[in-house]
PDB file of all heavy atoms in Angstrom:
ATOM      1  N   HIS A   1     -40.480-329.137 -32.821  1.00  0.00           N
ATOM      2  CA  HIS A   1     -39.970-327.800 -32.905  1.00  0.00           C
ATOM      3  C   HIS A   1     -38.673-327.733 -33.642  1.00  0.00           C
ATOM      4  O   HIS A   1     -37.912-328.800 -33.810  1.00  0.00           O
ATOM      5  CB  HIS A   1     -39.809-327.220 -31.499  1.00  0.00           C
ATOM      6  CG  HIS A   1     -38.770-327.852 -30.701  1.00  0.00           C
ATOM      7  ND1 HIS A   1     -38.952-328.950 -29.893  1.00  0.00           N
ATOM      8  CD2 HIS A   1     -37.412-327.532 -30.496  1.00  0.00           C
ATOM      9  CE1 HIS A   1     -37.835-329.336 -29.300  1.00  0.00           C
ATOM     10  NE2 HIS A   1     -36.889-328.482 -29.645  1.00  0.00           N
ATOM     11  N   ILE A   2     -38.284-326.522 -34.029  1.00  0.00           N
ATOM     12  CA  ILE A   2     -37.009-326.285 -34.731  1.00  0.00           C
ATOM     13  C   ILE A   2     -36.282-325.227 -33.851  1.00  0.00           C
ATOM     14  O   ILE A   2     -36.822-324.192 -33.555  1.00  0.00           O
ATOM     15  CB  ILE A   2     -37.160-325.758 -36.092  1.00  0.00           C
ATOM     16  CG1 ILE A   2     -37.948-326.792 -36.948  1.00  0.00           C
ATOM     17  CG2 ILE A   2     -35.812-325.429 -36.757  1.00  0.00           C
ATOM     18  CD1 ILE A   2     -38.361-326.240 -38.322  1.00  0.00           C
ATOM     19  N   THR A   3     -35.046-325.494 -33.502  1.00  0.00           N
ATOM     20  CA  THR A   3     -34.252-324.514 -32.738  1.00  0.00           C
ATOM     21  C   THR A   3     -33.185-323.922 -33.667  1.00  0.00           C
ATOM     22  O   THR A   3     -32.441-324.614 -34.349  1.00  0.00           O
ATOM     23  CB  THR A   3     -33.505-325.136 -31.557  1.00  0.00           C
ATOM     24  OG1 THR A   3     -34.473-325.785 -30.720  1.00  0.00           O
ATOM     25  CG2 THR A   3     -32.722-324.172 -30.756  1.00  0.00           C
ATOM     26  N   VAL A   4     -33.152-322.572 -33.704  1.00  0.00           N
ATOM     27  CA  VAL A   4     -32.214-321.834 -34.541  1.00  0.00           C
ATOM     28  C   VAL A   4     -31.254-321.080 -33.667  1.00  0.00           C
ATOM     29  O   VAL A   4     -31.662-320.293 -32.778  1.00  0.00           O
ATOM     30  CB  VAL A   4     -32.948-320.857 -35.505  1.00  0.00           C
ATOM     31  CG1 VAL A   4     -31.957-320.122 -36.382  1.00  0.00           C
ATOM     32  CG2 VAL A   4     -33.915-321.623 -36.356  1.00  0.00           C
ATOM     33  N   MET A   5     -29.883-321.274 -33.856  1.00  0.00           N
ATOM     34  CA  MET A   5     -28.941-320.649 -33.016  1.00  0.00           C
ATOM     35  C   MET A   5     -27.892-319.889 -33.884  1.00  0.00           C
ATOM     36  O   MET A   5     -27.489-320.434 -34.967  1.00  0.00           O
ATOM     37  CB  MET A   5     -28.186-321.686 -32.172  1.00  0.00           C
ATOM     38  CG  MET A   5     -29.096-322.426 -31.194  1.00  0.00           C
ATOM     39  SD  MET A   5     -28.313-323.972 -30.597  1.00  0.00           S
ATOM     40  CE  MET A   5     -28.599-325.018 -32.064  1.00  0.00           C
ATOM     41  N   TRP A   6     -27.593-318.651 -33.512  1.00  0.00           N
ATOM     42  CA  TRP A   6     -26.605-317.891 -34.276  1.00  0.00           C
ATOM     43  C   TRP A   6     -25.689-317.053 -33.331  1.00  0.00           C
ATOM     44  O   TRP A   6     -25.933-315.956 -33.064  1.00  0.00           O
ATOM     45  CB  TRP A   6     -27.288-316.970 -35.239  1.00  0.00           C
ATOM     46  CG  TRP A   6     -26.412-316.347 -36.323  1.00  0.00           C
ATOM     47  CD1 TRP A   6     -25.118-316.666 -36.577  1.00  0.00           C
ATOM     48  CD2 TRP A   6     -26.762-315.355 -37.257  1.00  0.00           C
ATOM     49  NE1 TRP A   6     -24.603-315.938 -37.627  1.00  0.00           N
ATOM     50  CE2 TRP A   6     -25.600-315.084 -38.076  1.00  0.00           C
ATOM     51  CE3 TRP A   6     -27.935-314.628 -37.528  1.00  0.00           C
ATOM     52  CZ2 TRP A   6     -25.594-314.202 -39.102  1.00  0.00           C
ATOM     53  CZ3 TRP A   6     -27.921-313.714 -38.508  1.00  0.00           C
ATOM     54  CH2 TRP A   6     -26.775-313.466 -39.320  1.00  0.00           C
ATOM     55  N   ASP A   7     -24.647-317.776 -32.881  1.00  0.00           N
ATOM     56  CA  ASP A   7     -23.646-317.082 -32.027  1.00  0.00           C
ATOM     57  C   ASP A   7     -24.406-316.311 -30.836  1.00  0.00           C
ATOM     58  O   ASP A   7     -25.498-316.660 -30.477  1.00  0.00           O
ATOM     59  CB  ASP A   7     -22.795-316.177 -32.811  1.00  0.00           C
ATOM     60  CG  ASP A   7     -21.912-316.889 -33.843  1.00  0.00           C
ATOM     61  OD1 ASP A   7     -21.738-318.142 -33.625  1.00  0.00           O
ATOM     62  OD2 ASP A   7     -21.440-316.291 -34.781  1.00  0.00           O
ATOM     63  N   ASP A   8     -23.649-315.332 -30.405  1.00  0.00           N
ATOM     64  CA  ASP A   8     -24.237-314.463 -29.348  1.00  0.00           C
ATOM     65  C   ASP A   8     -24.559-313.148 -29.969  1.00  0.00           C
ATOM     66  O   ASP A   8     -23.923-312.061 -29.689  1.00  0.00           O
ATOM     67  CB  ASP A   8     -23.174-314.274 -28.168  1.00  0.00           C
ATOM     68  CG  ASP A   8     -23.772-313.442 -27.096  1.00  0.00           C
ATOM     69  OD1 ASP A   8     -25.036-313.432 -26.944  1.00  0.00           O
ATOM     70  OD2 ASP A   8     -22.973-312.842 -26.362  1.00  0.00           O
ATOM     71  N   ARG A   9     -25.490-313.130 -30.875  1.00  0.00           N
ATOM     72  CA  ARG A   9     -25.866-311.951 -31.572  1.00  0.00           C
ATOM     73  C   ARG A   9     -27.380-311.746 -31.645  1.00  0.00           C
ATOM     74  O   ARG A   9     -28.171-312.685 -31.440  1.00  0.00           O
ATOM     75  CB  ARG A   9     -25.268-311.880 -32.904  1.00  0.00           C
ATOM     76  CG  ARG A   9     -25.908-312.828 -33.968  1.00  0.00           C
ATOM     77  CD  ARG A   9     -25.279-312.705 -35.322  1.00  0.00           C
ATOM     78  NE  ARG A   9     -24.022-313.414 -35.422  1.00  0.00           N
ATOM     79  CZ  ARG A   9     -23.146-313.256 -36.388  1.00  0.00           C
ATOM     80  NH1 ARG A   9     -23.343-312.361 -37.301  1.00  0.00           N
ATOM     81  NH2 ARG A   9     -22.019-313.911 -36.392  1.00  0.00           N
ATOM     82  N   GLN A  10     -27.785-310.564 -31.929  1.00  0.00           N
ATOM     83  CA  GLN A  10     -29.190-310.276 -32.094  1.00  0.00           C
ATOM     84  C   GLN A  10     -29.615-310.290 -33.569  1.00  0.00           C
ATOM     85  O   GLN A  10     -28.879-309.781 -34.446  1.00  0.00           O
ATOM     86  CB  GLN A  10     -29.516-308.879 -31.506  1.00  0.00           C
ATOM     87  CG  GLN A  10     -31.023-308.476 -31.552  1.00  0.00           C
ATOM     88  CD  GLN A  10     -31.277-307.182 -30.805  1.00  0.00           C
ATOM     89  OE1 GLN A  10     -30.931-306.998 -29.609  1.00  0.00           O
ATOM     90  NE2 GLN A  10     -31.885-306.252 -31.526  1.00  0.00           N
ATOM     91  N   PHE A  11     -30.763-310.915 -33.849  1.00  0.00           N
ATOM     92  CA  PHE A  11     -31.158-311.034 -35.243  1.00  0.00           C
ATOM     93  C   PHE A  11     -32.613-311.145 -35.352  1.00  0.00           C
ATOM     94  O   PHE A  11     -33.366-311.431 -34.424  1.00  0.00           O
ATOM     95  CB  PHE A  11     -30.491-312.304 -35.897  1.00  0.00           C
ATOM     96  CG  PHE A  11     -30.801-313.576 -35.240  1.00  0.00           C
ATOM     97  CD1 PHE A  11     -31.922-314.359 -35.584  1.00  0.00           C
ATOM     98  CD2 PHE A  11     -30.033-314.116 -34.150  1.00  0.00           C
ATOM     99  CE1 PHE A  11     -32.189-315.577 -35.002  1.00  0.00           C
ATOM    100  CE2 PHE A  11     -30.289-315.282 -33.506  1.00  0.00           C
ATOM    101  CZ  PHE A  11     -31.409-316.036 -33.939  1.00  0.00           C
ATOM    102  N   ASP A  12     -33.130-310.960 -36.593  1.00  0.00           N
ATOM    103  CA  ASP A  12     -34.548-311.162 -36.931  1.00  0.00           C
ATOM    104  C   ASP A  12     -34.676-312.473 -37.743  1.00  0.00           C
ATOM    105  O   ASP A  12     -33.697-312.793 -38.451  1.00  0.00           O
ATOM    106  CB  ASP A  12     -35.007-310.008 -37.852  1.00  0.00           C
ATOM    107  CG  ASP A  12     -35.035-308.636 -37.102  1.00  0.00           C
ATOM    108  OD1 ASP A  12     -35.021-308.644 -35.880  1.00  0.00           O
ATOM    109  OD2 ASP A  12     -35.029-307.621 -37.843  1.00  0.00           O
ATOM    110  N   LEU A  13     -35.760-313.127 -37.575  1.00  0.00           N
ATOM    111  CA  LEU A  13     -36.015-314.370 -38.217  1.00  0.00           C
ATOM    112  C   LEU A  13     -37.296-314.401 -39.051  1.00  0.00           C
ATOM    113  O   LEU A  13     -38.331-313.911 -38.596  1.00  0.00           O
ATOM    114  CB  LEU A  13     -35.985-315.587 -37.248  1.00  0.00           C
ATOM    115  CG  LEU A  13     -36.289-316.955 -37.706  1.00  0.00           C
ATOM    116  CD1 LEU A  13     -35.537-317.945 -36.906  1.00  0.00           C
ATOM    117  CD2 LEU A  13     -37.739-317.260 -37.700  1.00  0.00           C
ATOM    118  N   LYS A  14     -37.213-314.959 -40.315  1.00  0.00           N
ATOM    119  CA  LYS A  14     -38.396-315.178 -41.020  1.00  0.00           C
ATOM    120  C   LYS A  14     -38.461-316.613 -41.528  1.00  0.00           C
ATOM    121  O   LYS A  14     -37.454-317.173 -41.948  1.00  0.00           O
ATOM    122  CB  LYS A  14     -38.414-314.283 -42.285  1.00  0.00           C
ATOM    123  CG  LYS A  14     -38.585-312.758 -41.953  1.00  0.00           C
ATOM    124  CD  LYS A  14     -38.634-311.940 -43.269  1.00  0.00           C
ATOM    125  CE  LYS A  14     -38.724-310.474 -42.921  1.00  0.00           C
ATOM    126  NZ  LYS A  14     -38.749-309.615 -44.153  1.00  0.00           N
ATOM    127  N   LEU A  15     -39.639-317.256 -41.428  1.00  0.00           N
ATOM    128  CA  LEU A  15     -39.830-318.551 -41.951  1.00  0.00           C
ATOM    129  C   LEU A  15     -40.678-318.414 -43.231  1.00  0.00           C
ATOM    130  O   LEU A  15     -41.776-317.794 -43.247  1.00  0.00           O
ATOM    131  CB  LEU A  15     -40.638-319.420 -40.964  1.00  0.00           C
ATOM    132  CG  LEU A  15     -40.973-320.856 -41.456  1.00  0.00           C
ATOM    133  CD1 LEU A  15     -39.672-321.719 -41.623  1.00  0.00           C
ATOM    134  CD2 LEU A  15     -41.990-321.570 -40.525  1.00  0.00           C
ATOM    135  N   ILE A  16     -40.169-318.884 -44.396  1.00  0.00           N
ATOM    136  CA  ILE A  16     -40.729-318.673 -45.662  1.00  0.00           C
ATOM    137  C   ILE A  16     -40.974-319.954 -46.401  1.00  0.00           C
ATOM    138  O   ILE A  16     -40.164-320.948 -46.349  1.00  0.00           O
ATOM    139  CB  ILE A  16     -39.734-317.842 -46.575  1.00  0.00           C
ATOM    140  CG1 ILE A  16     -39.357-316.541 -45.818  1.00  0.00           C
ATOM    141  CG2 ILE A  16     -40.333-317.497 -47.947  1.00  0.00           C
ATOM    142  CD1 ILE A  16     -38.241-315.795 -46.504  1.00  0.00           C
ATOM    143  N   ASN A  17     -42.178-320.107 -46.972  1.00  0.00           N
ATOM    144  CA  ASN A  17     -42.478-321.354 -47.684  1.00  0.00           C
ATOM    145  C   ASN A  17     -41.942-321.212 -49.097  1.00  0.00           C
ATOM    146  O   ASN A  17     -41.367-320.254 -49.566  1.00  0.00           O
ATOM    147  CB  ASN A  17     -43.971-321.628 -47.682  1.00  0.00           C
ATOM    148  CG  ASN A  17     -44.812-320.632 -48.415  1.00  0.00           C
ATOM    149  OD1 ASN A  17     -44.283-319.792 -49.203  1.00  0.00           O
ATOM    150  ND2 ASN A  17     -46.091-320.620 -48.187  1.00  0.00           N
ATOM    151  N   SER A  18     -42.091-322.335 -49.932  1.00  0.00           N
ATOM    152  CA  SER A  18     -41.522-322.388 -51.249  1.00  0.00           C
ATOM    153  C   SER A  18     -42.171-321.431 -52.255  1.00  0.00           C
ATOM    154  O   SER A  18     -41.662-321.202 -53.333  1.00  0.00           O
ATOM    155  CB  SER A  18     -41.633-323.822 -51.779  1.00  0.00           C
ATOM    156  OG  SER A  18     -43.026-324.216 -51.870  1.00  0.00           O
ATOM    157  N   ALA A  19     -43.387-320.868 -51.844  1.00  0.00           N
ATOM    158  CA  ALA A  19     -44.006-319.864 -52.692  1.00  0.00           C
ATOM    159  C   ALA A  19     -43.549-318.502 -52.368  1.00  0.00           C
ATOM    160  O   ALA A  19     -43.931-317.507 -53.032  1.00  0.00           O
ATOM    161  CB  ALA A  19     -45.550-319.968 -52.480  1.00  0.00           C
ATOM    162  N   GLY A  20     -42.607-318.351 -51.378  1.00  0.00           N
ATOM    163  CA  GLY A  20     -42.128-317.016 -51.034  1.00  0.00           C
ATOM    164  C   GLY A  20     -42.894-316.295 -50.018  1.00  0.00           C
ATOM    165  O   GLY A  20     -42.629-315.130 -49.732  1.00  0.00           O
ATOM    166  N   ASP A  21     -43.968-316.975 -49.397  1.00  0.00           N
ATOM    167  CA  ASP A  21     -44.762-316.334 -48.390  1.00  0.00           C
ATOM    168  C   ASP A  21     -44.103-316.434 -46.998  1.00  0.00           C
ATOM    169  O   ASP A  21     -43.558-317.457 -46.689  1.00  0.00           O
ATOM    170  CB  ASP A  21     -46.170-316.979 -48.333  1.00  0.00           C
ATOM    171  CG  ASP A  21     -46.889-316.970 -49.627  1.00  0.00           C
ATOM    172  OD1 ASP A  21     -46.926-315.870 -50.269  1.00  0.00           O
ATOM    173  OD2 ASP A  21     -47.488-317.976 -50.063  1.00  0.00           O
ATOM    174  N   ILE A  22     -44.161-315.325 -46.299  1.00  0.00           N
ATOM    175  CA  ILE A  22     -43.616-315.314 -44.961  1.00  0.00           C
ATOM    176  C   ILE A  22     -44.728-315.850 -43.995  1.00  0.00           C
ATOM    177  O   ILE A  22     -45.744-315.306 -43.778  1.00  0.00           O
ATOM    178  CB  ILE A  22     -43.259-313.847 -44.540  1.00  0.00           C
ATOM    179  CG1 ILE A  22     -42.175-313.347 -45.482  1.00  0.00           C
ATOM    180  CG2 ILE A  22     -42.724-313.836 -43.078  1.00  0.00           C
ATOM    181  CD1 ILE A  22     -41.853-311.886 -45.269  1.00  0.00           C
ATOM    182  N   LEU A  23     -44.374-316.967 -43.354  1.00  0.00           N
ATOM    183  CA  LEU A  23     -45.291-317.696 -42.537  1.00  0.00           C
ATOM    184  C   LEU A  23     -45.109-317.231 -41.032  1.00  0.00           C
ATOM    185  O   LEU A  23     -46.070-317.316 -40.261  1.00  0.00           O
ATOM    186  CB  LEU A  23     -45.105-319.156 -42.623  1.00  0.00           C
ATOM    187  CG  LEU A  23     -45.289-319.804 -43.993  1.00  0.00           C
ATOM    188  CD1 LEU A  23     -45.144-321.314 -43.958  1.00  0.00           C
ATOM    189  CD2 LEU A  23     -46.593-319.412 -44.631  1.00  0.00           C
ATOM    190  N   LEU A  24     -43.892-316.840 -40.684  1.00  0.00           N
ATOM    191  CA  LEU A  24     -43.615-316.526 -39.278  1.00  0.00           C
ATOM    192  C   LEU A  24     -42.455-315.499 -39.247  1.00  0.00           C
ATOM    193  O   LEU A  24     -41.545-315.637 -40.057  1.00  0.00           O
ATOM    194  CB  LEU A  24     -43.192-317.833 -38.525  1.00  0.00           C
ATOM    195  CG  LEU A  24     -42.681-317.596 -37.108  1.00  0.00           C
ATOM    196  CD1 LEU A  24     -43.890-317.220 -36.202  1.00  0.00           C
ATOM    197  CD2 LEU A  24     -42.060-318.887 -36.540  1.00  0.00           C
ATOM    198  N   GLN A  25     -42.573-314.526 -38.359  1.00  0.00           N
ATOM    199  CA  GLN A  25     -41.527-313.531 -38.244  1.00  0.00           C
ATOM    200  C   GLN A  25     -41.277-313.273 -36.770  1.00  0.00           C
ATOM    201  O   GLN A  25     -42.181-313.030 -36.037  1.00  0.00           O
ATOM    202  CB  GLN A  25     -41.878-312.247 -38.974  1.00  0.00           C
ATOM    203  CG  GLN A  25     -40.782-311.174 -38.871  1.00  0.00           C
ATOM    204  CD  GLN A  25     -40.996-310.107 -39.909  1.00  0.00           C
ATOM    205  OE1 GLN A  25     -41.702-310.260 -40.920  1.00  0.00           O
ATOM    206  NE2 GLN A  25     -40.379-308.949 -39.677  1.00  0.00           N
ATOM    207  N   LYS A  26     -40.011-313.324 -36.383  1.00  0.00           N
ATOM    208  CA  LYS A  26     -39.644-313.018 -34.955  1.00  0.00           C
ATOM    209  C   LYS A  26     -38.481-311.930 -35.070  1.00  0.00           C
ATOM    210  O   LYS A  26     -37.501-312.177 -35.745  1.00  0.00           O
ATOM    211  CB  LYS A  26     -39.186-314.248 -34.246  1.00  0.00           C
ATOM    212  CG  LYS A  26     -40.266-315.243 -33.957  1.00  0.00           C
ATOM    213  CD  LYS A  26     -39.799-316.470 -33.172  1.00  0.00           C
ATOM    214  CE  LYS A  26     -40.858-317.429 -32.818  1.00  0.00           C
ATOM    215  NZ  LYS A  26     -41.842-316.875 -31.831  1.00  0.00           N
ATOM    216  N   ASN A  27     -38.683-310.881 -34.370  1.00  0.00           N
ATOM    217  CA  ASN A  27     -37.692-309.778 -34.397  1.00  0.00           C
ATOM    218  C   ASN A  27     -36.883-309.658 -33.074  1.00  0.00           C
ATOM    219  O   ASN A  27     -37.422-310.042 -31.966  1.00  0.00           O
ATOM    220  CB  ASN A  27     -38.431-308.429 -34.665  1.00  0.00           C
ATOM    221  CG  ASN A  27     -39.096-308.436 -36.029  1.00  0.00           C
ATOM    222  OD1 ASN A  27     -38.622-308.988 -37.001  1.00  0.00           O
ATOM    223  ND2 ASN A  27     -40.246-307.750 -36.116  1.00  0.00           N
ATOM    224  N   SER A  28     -35.701-309.177 -33.238  1.00  0.00           N
ATOM    225  CA  SER A  28     -34.804-308.874 -32.089  1.00  0.00           C
ATOM    226  C   SER A  28     -34.587-310.106 -31.200  1.00  0.00           C
ATOM    227  O   SER A  28     -34.660-310.007 -29.967  1.00  0.00           O
ATOM    228  CB  SER A  28     -35.362-307.718 -31.221  1.00  0.00           C
ATOM    229  OG  SER A  28     -35.483-306.585 -32.077  1.00  0.00           O
ATOM    230  N   VAL A  29     -34.313-311.236 -31.799  1.00  0.00           N
ATOM    231  CA  VAL A  29     -33.975-312.448 -31.129  1.00  0.00           C
ATOM    232  C   VAL A  29     -32.547-312.397 -30.681  1.00  0.00           C
ATOM    233  O   VAL A  29     -31.672-312.030 -31.399  1.00  0.00           O
ATOM    234  CB  VAL A  29     -34.278-313.688 -31.975  1.00  0.00           C
ATOM    235  CG1 VAL A  29     -33.827-314.966 -31.315  1.00  0.00           C
ATOM    236  CG2 VAL A  29     -35.750-313.774 -32.390  1.00  0.00           C
ATOM    237  N   ARG A  30     -32.269-312.970 -29.491  1.00  0.00           N
ATOM    238  CA  ARG A  30     -30.882-313.008 -29.046  1.00  0.00           C
ATOM    239  C   ARG A  30     -30.359-314.447 -28.984  1.00  0.00           C
ATOM    240  O   ARG A  30     -30.923-315.272 -28.293  1.00  0.00           O
ATOM    241  CB  ARG A  30     -30.761-312.380 -27.609  1.00  0.00           C
ATOM    242  CG  ARG A  30     -29.444-312.566 -26.959  1.00  0.00           C
ATOM    243  CD  ARG A  30     -28.266-311.837 -27.697  1.00  0.00           C
ATOM    244  NE  ARG A  30     -28.428-310.364 -27.598  1.00  0.00           N
ATOM    245  CZ  ARG A  30     -27.532-309.565 -28.029  1.00  0.00           C
ATOM    246  NH1 ARG A  30     -26.484-309.996 -28.775  1.00  0.00           N
ATOM    247  NH2 ARG A  30     -27.681-308.228 -27.984  1.00  0.00           N
ATOM    248  N   SER A  31     -29.399-314.789 -29.810  1.00  0.00           N
ATOM    249  CA  SER A  31     -28.699-316.050 -29.784  1.00  0.00           C
ATOM    250  C   SER A  31     -29.487-317.291 -30.263  1.00  0.00           C
ATOM    251  O   SER A  31     -29.008-318.019 -31.112  1.00  0.00           O
ATOM    252  CB  SER A  31     -28.125-316.353 -28.347  1.00  0.00           C
ATOM    253  OG  SER A  31     -27.286-315.386 -27.940  1.00  0.00           O
ATOM    254  N   GLU A  32     -30.691-317.362 -29.723  1.00  0.00           N
ATOM    255  CA  GLU A  32     -31.386-318.663 -30.027  1.00  0.00           C
ATOM    256  C   GLU A  32     -32.918-318.429 -30.011  1.00  0.00           C
ATOM    257  O   GLU A  32     -33.455-317.572 -29.265  1.00  0.00           O
ATOM    258  CB  GLU A  32     -31.052-319.702 -28.889  1.00  0.00           C
ATOM    259  CG  GLU A  32     -31.728-321.041 -29.039  1.00  0.00           C
ATOM    260  CD  GLU A  32     -31.327-321.985 -27.944  1.00  0.00           C
ATOM    261  OE1 GLU A  32     -30.140-322.116 -27.696  1.00  0.00           O
ATOM    262  OE2 GLU A  32     -32.263-322.658 -27.343  1.00  0.00           O
TER     263      GLU A  32
END
């Protein structure tokens, strides 16, 4: 697994491959 942390804030995350395709999207994530 990969853990992504960004302070204590709310954010959206996208995982994109080298072709520019969005493989995974998570919205309204808090902190981690």
Side-chain angles (χ1 to χ4, degrees):
H1 68 274
I2 301 170
T3 303
V4 181
M5 298 162 283
W6 194 7
D7 295 339
D8 183 25
R9 72 179 79 194
Q10 183 173 305
F11 58 90
D12 297 338
L13 176 148
K14 292 180 181 179
L15 179 67
I16 304 170
N17 65 14
S18 60
D21 300 316
I22 299 173
L23 305 181
L24 174 70
Q25 181 166 339
K26 291 181 178 290
N27 296 326
S28 301
V29 174
R30 170 67 69 178
S31 301
E32 180 179 312

